[in-house]
Amino acid sequence: MSDRAPSPEDTGDSDWLDRATGVGTSVGRALMLPALAVISALIVGAVIIALTDIDTLRVWGDDPGEAFRLTVSGIGDAYRALFIGSLGSWRAITETLFAATPLILAGLAVAIGFQAGLFNIGVNGQMLIGGMAGLWVGFSIDVPAIIHIPLAILAAMAGGAVWGGIAGLLKARTGAHEVITTIMLNFIAIFLVDYLLKSSIFQQPGRNDPISQPAASSAQFPRFLGDYRLHIGFLLALAAVWISWWLLYRTTIGFEFRAVGFSPSGARYGGMNVAWIYVAVMAVCGALAGIAGANQILGLEPYRGISNFAGSVGFDAIALALLGRSHPIGVLFAGLLFGALRAGGREMQGAAGIPIDLVLVLQALIIVMIAAPALVRAIYRIKTPDHELETSISTGWTK
Amino acid sequence: MDEVTAVSITSDVKVTARATPEQRRAVVIGTVLLLLAGVVVWVFGLGVEPGDRSTFNLSLPGARVQDLSWVVNSRWLAYMVAAVVAFLGGWVLRRSHLKWTNLALAIGLGLFALAFLTWAAAGSSFSLVGMLRSTVILSVPVTLGALTGLMCERVAIINIAIEGQLLTAAFVGTIVGSAFGIWAGLVSAMVVGALLGAVLAVLTIRFHIDQIIAGVVINIFALGLTSFLARRVLAAAPDLNSPGRFASIKIPILGDIPVIGSVLFDHNMFVYATFVLVLVLHLGLFYTRWGLRSRSVGEHPKAADTVGIDVYRTRYLNTILGGCIAGFGGAFFTLSQVSRFEENLTAGIGFIGLAAMIFGRWMPLGALGAGLVFGFARAIQQKLGILGTPIPSEFLSMTPYIVTIIVVAGVVGISRPPAADGKPYIKE
């Protein structure tokens, strides 16, 4: 993948985010900012851990030296658990990849939207609808796995594409801003799924709560490393990264996506059908999110649909896409990082007693610093290059 | 030959004239009203037994006037509603008074809701006052969220972070309220809301972060931090999680009026303050110097700057004041309703607030109206479970969100945000 080389046709690959982040296209600088952001987030996280350790806070008055030792060891324990849980063993590494799988797929669903100038906050809803479609195929037909799994994935892609396409269609036909419509579609999807889970089609017989029947074993994503939880969903995510890259940088339609992202009016004058491209972009994003949704059911024990099974993946995806600078390869690495935070966060919660919600805080801090390079520069006193004017990527509601 | 050309030109003009957006909208809305009338006849009228009566209780337990109720024949009421709605639909379809299209729609939907309730309560009784009372209470956080949003968007700062502001304020209000009393809790909640408003303002104005990204970040941060602290601190110190509540204050004479008294004038101060705030903001935005300046900053910042208005200062001020309002709304959750904090307590109300802001067309009075409509939807949804109607509550839960999509799609009139909304202003 030599796409990072600045060939003339590729310089536009992440202009949209270049403008947002103010970081140039050189690989070194592109890596420096995320690295500083992650380090800063971990430092702030350490402060939060220290400030919320109630037992140790009481010691400060009596014995500051002991309190300091306890604080440092508390932070040390937490971050050691974070590391051991994410990279400390073969099992930890497979857990990281396992956790990264839906994040990468969902992150691509946001990143492709960003490349086309669309802010897809609707990954959550697209995952839910796609996942339900995949689940329905997963338990309602009886065919060998070799046919069943691809069929379920196709259904999930179709479901997600429809849900994303609605937002695209609304934008194309009426100009309704995709941020508003996708947020609303997220909530509609949550309630729709709750309803479906209690309907006779999906509900597990004999149950009253919203829980579905399990997918047939032929539709469950097979594991390929013995008893580790890692399954073919991860390979699917890798394939999706490659296909997304190919679509964006090697096809006409990808060029059109990026042209619309660069300048919708320019694309229109260039003869492109911008309205249709909005629909297509949202459908592609939705299809990717749909696979992520299927992954949350068909790749996760007990292979059933539950209420809001997408969890926070849809919002993590926004952070991921920003961190990966909307480039598929960047999303892959950002997804691995966040997967490591997830897997390690579970270990941190279990071994060191630090709630996994800290990971959300770390993510928020990472995005803030990625999106506001001026902030990182201010913290680390890095000189602002003159040619990199900081402008916003916002287009407002109406455009 | 000339005559023929002239005729074809006039007919062309007619064709274009017929296609104005208002007229097309009237056709859509008129058709919708006719369809609603049909639904009322078929579902709400023919769906009940001929002799069924619906009883609406008009008094609350403990009210001064007991056993006030209104009994109607369910089927006949549906037929009457259908007749009026069909008439409205036909009238709108004539397209003679385009200005009144939305009023006709509002009346039609109100009557539809009445017919719906009659159908739901057929053969049993239903506490109308209780439901209207919950409507008012449930509208409070939505209205406050919408007011927060419009304070910011009037100066062209998009605030997606209302949800996060509500959640954080609810959390801090709980802790401070438990430790130092509910008034301290209220003040601290407002301060925290204002602080998050300030964070949003600094990130977007000083650091030029995309406003939507900044909002998303604040939401994730708020959810993560409050959940983290709830598990780590509140779990260890449960006495910090019982702040108590603001008591109801019955307004002396007004509170004794039957029906209206218990619906409007027997609440705690959050409800009254919300009504007052709506009025103050309406007067402030449209009749004071501050309001004119705010609106000009939101519509055309460059022009505002040219005449000497400090664009950045106005944006900071309004975003922080908006945060105060959100903080007040957050306090409502833990100091008025449940009196304890739980993870993700606000559960998307901030986003409904955002929707209400759009539905209310960026106007304080509109925000209140939208808040009441969404509050009504939630109140019905709570009551339907008791009545056991065949309509799944999930579909009612969806209503606010579907309505919002319909509104932003421009079907019910063009809802136009401030012209510079979401665009950063960079002083030259």
Side-chain angles (χ1 to χ4, degrees):
Chain A
M1 313 238 165
S2 58
D3 56 288
R4 300 304 287 180
S7 71
E9 61 189 295
D10 268 0
T11 46
D13 65 357
S14 48
D15 265 354
W16 190 79
L17 247 95
D18 282 347
R19 277 180 285 138
T21 59
V23 173
T25 39
S26 96
V27 175
R29 277 223 299 281
L31 286 179
M32 184 180 74
L33 185 65
L36 286 179
V38 171
I39 292 167
S40 316
L42 287 174
I43 293 170
V44 178
V47 173
I48 293 175
I49 294 174
L51 288 181
T52 54
D53 191 348
I54 290 187
D55 295 335
T56 309
L57 285 179
R58 292 200 180 108
V59 183
W60 278 103
D62 310 328
D63 185 357
E66 174 68 5
F68 182 75
R69 199 191 60 75
L70 282 173
T71 305
V72 170
S73 77
I75 296 169
D77 286 347
Y79 283 162
R80 192 173 309 117
L82 190 67
F83 179 79
I84 290 173
S86 55
L87 295 169
S89 62
W90 279 113
R91 173 173 294 280
I93 291 172
T94 61
E95 281 295 304
T96 291
L97 300 182
F98 173 79
T101 304
L103 293 171
I104 294 169
L105 288 163
L108 290 173
V110 179
I112 290 182
F114 273 157
Q115 294 260 4
L118 293 175
F119 201 146
N120 181 15
I121 300 193
V123 171
N124 195 297
Q126 293 149 17
M127 281 177 71
L128 287 171
I129 301 298
M132 289 302 274
L135 172 64
W136 182 72
V137 170
F139 66 66
S140 60
I141 58 174
D142 185 21
V143 285
I146 192 84
I147 304 168
H148 207 168
I149 292 172
L151 270 183
I153 291 170
L154 279 178
M157 290 174 73
V162 166
W163 210 247
I166 293 174
L169 197 64
L170 283 166
K171 187 178 178 76
R173 289 295 302 271
T174 69
H177 198 285
E178 76 279 1
V179 167
I180 291 289
T181 52
T182 50
I183 288 177
M184 300 304 147
L185 285 167
N186 280 347
F187 284 104
I188 296 172
I190 288 175
F191 292 118
L192 190 60
V193 166
D194 278 354
Y195 168 73
L196 288 175
L197 288 175
K198 283 195 273 185
S199 71
S200 57
I201 309 169
F202 280 94
Q203 194 172 36
Q204 169 75 12
R207 294 287 289 259
N208 285 320
D209 48 338
I211 188 162
S212 79
Q213 351 178 357
S217 58
S218 56
Q220 297 168 1
F221 290 174
R223 300 171 177 184
F224 57 85
L225 282 178
D227 61 340
Y228 294 149
R229 288 205 290 171
L230 191 62
H231 53 72
I232 59 149
F234 181 69
L235 306 180
L236 212 59
L238 290 181
V241 168
W242 187 80
I243 291 171
S244 303
W245 171 81
W246 175 79
L247 178 81
L248 280 171
Y249 300 110
R250 291 291 178 271
T251 65
T252 313
I253 186 165
F255 176 77
E256 291 184 338
F257 283 11
R258 289 183 293 133
V260 169
F262 189 69
S263 162
S265 50
R268 193 171 289 120
Y269 286 121
M272 296 172 196
N273 184 347
V274 176
W276 184 83
I277 290 169
Y278 282 146
V279 181
V281 169
M282 287 306 292
V284 169
C285 293
L288 285 163
I291 307 176
N295 182 80
Q296 292 306 82
I297 294 181
L298 304 178
L300 195 64
E301 275 184 280
Y303 308 104
R304 290 173 193 270
I306 54 168
S307 193
N308 193 16
F309 59 82
S312 69
V313 172
F315 286 97
D316 300 340
I318 298 167
L320 265 167
L322 287 168
L323 186 60
R325 304 185 68 224
S326 297
H327 193 286
I329 310 292
V331 168
L332 172 63
F333 286 110
L336 293 174
L337 173 71
F338 278 24
L341 283 177
R342 290 268 138 205
R346 275 196 287 274
E347 174 74 20
M348 190 170 69
Q349 177 161 303
I354 308 285
I356 195 169
D357 305 283
L358 185 70
V359 170
L360 276 183
V361 177
L362 295 180
Q363 282 176 198
L365 291 167
I366 292 173
I367 324 172
V368 130
M369 284 182 265
I370 293 291
L375 198 64
V376 178
R377 289 205 193 98
I379 295 170
Y380 292 97
R381 319 231 167 226
I382 300 168
K383 207 170 153 238
T384 311
D386 292 335
H387 62 280
E388 286 170 7
L389 266 176
E390 281 147 29
T391 49
S392 169
I393 48 180
S394 185
T395 52
W397 289 141
T398 42
K399 198 166 157 189
Chain B
M1 281 299 278
D2 279 347
E3 241 178 56
V4 173
T5 332
V7 165
S8 70
I9 284 170
T10 39
S11 69
D12 275 351
V13 169
K14 262 184 193 158
V15 167
T16 26
R18 195 183 296 158
T20 64
E22 288 80 15
Q23 297 197 327
R24 248 181 297 148
R25 219 155 52 73
V27 173
V28 172
I29 289 173
T31 316
V32 167
L33 285 173
L34 288 181
L35 288 175
L36 285 181
V39 171
V40 170
V41 171
W42 287 106
V43 181
F44 303 155
L46 297 173
V48 296
E49 297 300 313
D52 268 356
R53 284 165 197 283
S54 308
T55 310
F56 292 109
N57 287 332
L58 298 180
S59 55
L60 285 175
R64 180 176 291 183
V65 188
Q66 285 289 340
D67 301 329
L68 196 60
S69 60
W70 179 45
V71 185
V72 289
N73 181 310
S74 315
R75 186 176 272 191
W76 284 109
L77 185 115
Y79 288 161
M80 271 153 59
V81 165
V84 177
V85 173
F87 171 79
L88 284 171
W91 182 74
V92 167
L93 278 179
R94 282 188 61 223
R95 299 191 296 268
S96 53
H97 297 82
L98 289 170
K99 263 197 238 167
W100 303 102
T101 308
N102 276 348
L103 183 69
L105 180 68
I107 296 173
L109 289 177
L111 286 171
F112 183 81
L114 176 69
F116 171 76
L117 288 178
T118 316
W119 168 74
S124 66
S125 76
F126 176 82
S127 172
L128 190 64
V129 168
M131 198 201 63
L132 292 178
R133 210 181 126 75
S134 338
T135 299
V136 171
I137 294 172
L138 292 171
S139 76
V140 167
V142 178
T143 307
L144 290 170
L147 292 178
T148 305
L150 82 85
M151 280 291 281
C152 302
E153 296 214 2
R154 279 290 177 177
V155 291
I157 303 270
I158 292 175
N159 187 355
I160 297 268
I162 305 168
E163 174 79 6
Q165 292 176 318
L166 290 176
L167 188 62
T168 317
F171 176 77
V172 173
T174 308
I175 291 193
V176 177
S178 307
F180 303 104
I182 45 176
W183 283 99
L186 178 67
V187 171
S188 67
M190 290 173 70
V191 169
V192 164
L195 272 177
L196 285 181
V199 168
L200 177 70
V202 169
L203 289 179
T204 54
I205 300 169
R206 165 79 181 77
F207 290 106
H208 303 307
I209 288 199
D210 179 90
Q211 297 176 352
I212 294 168
I213 292 175
V216 169
V217 165
I218 292 177
N219 283 338
I220 298 177
F221 187 78
L223 180 62
L225 197 62
T226 54
S227 306
F228 175 80
L229 293 175
R231 283 202 211 171
R232 197 162 152 88
V233 179
L234 289 187
D239 51 317
L240 284 178
N241 200 1
S242 58
R245 293 184 222 189
F246 279 91
S248 278
I249 307 163
K250 192 169 181 176
I251 293 189
I253 298 159
L254 296 172
D256 289 329
I257 306 172
V259 187
I260 297 173
S262 19
V263 171
L264 287 180
F265 301 111
D266 188 10
H267 291 286
N268 64 25
M269 67 90 195
F270 281 99
V271 176
Y272 306 131
T274 303
F275 284 113
V276 172
L277 192 62
V278 166
L279 212 62
V280 167
L281 280 187
H282 177 78
L283 296 175
L285 266 181
F286 296 106
Y287 299 96
T288 66
R289 182 192 297 194
W290 163 76
L292 183 64
R293 289 184 171 182
S294 299
R295 286 183 290 132
S296 64
V297 165
E299 296 291 340
H300 202 316
K302 195 162 188 175
D305 197 3
T306 313
V307 296
I309 298 170
D310 189 336
V311 174
Y312 294 149
R313 192 174 156 272
T314 314
R315 288 191 174 178
Y316 274 113
L317 178 73
N318 280 33
T319 313
I320 291 170
L321 284 179
C324 259
I325 299 176
F328 187 72
F332 171 80
F333 285 91
T334 45
L335 301 181
S336 167
Q337 285 208 297
V338 287
S339 187
R340 68 177 269 112
F341 183 85
E342 276 155 35
E343 275 177 52
N344 197 16
L345 175 83
T346 48
I349 301 285
F351 291 111
I352 301 193
L354 191 72
M357 173 195 74
I358 297 168
F359 190 42
R361 302 186 180 194
W362 288 266
M363 307 267 199
L365 292 175
L368 177 64
L372 286 169
V373 168
F374 292 166
F376 183 71
R378 291 181 62 210
I380 291 189
Q381 178 197 326
Q382 291 181 350
K383 299 283 173 196
L384 275 195
I386 302 165
L387 285 170
T389 45
I391 294 189
S393 67
E394 287 87 2
F395 285 98
L396 277 161
S397 308
M398 283 180 207
T399 333
Y401 308 106
I402 295 175
V403 166
T404 306
I405 288 183
I406 293 173
V407 171
V408 291
V411 178
V412 202
I414 294 121
S415 136
R416 199 189 65 85
D421 210 3
K423 297 186 183 97
Y425 180 67
I426 296 162
K427 202 175 162 118
E428 281 157 24

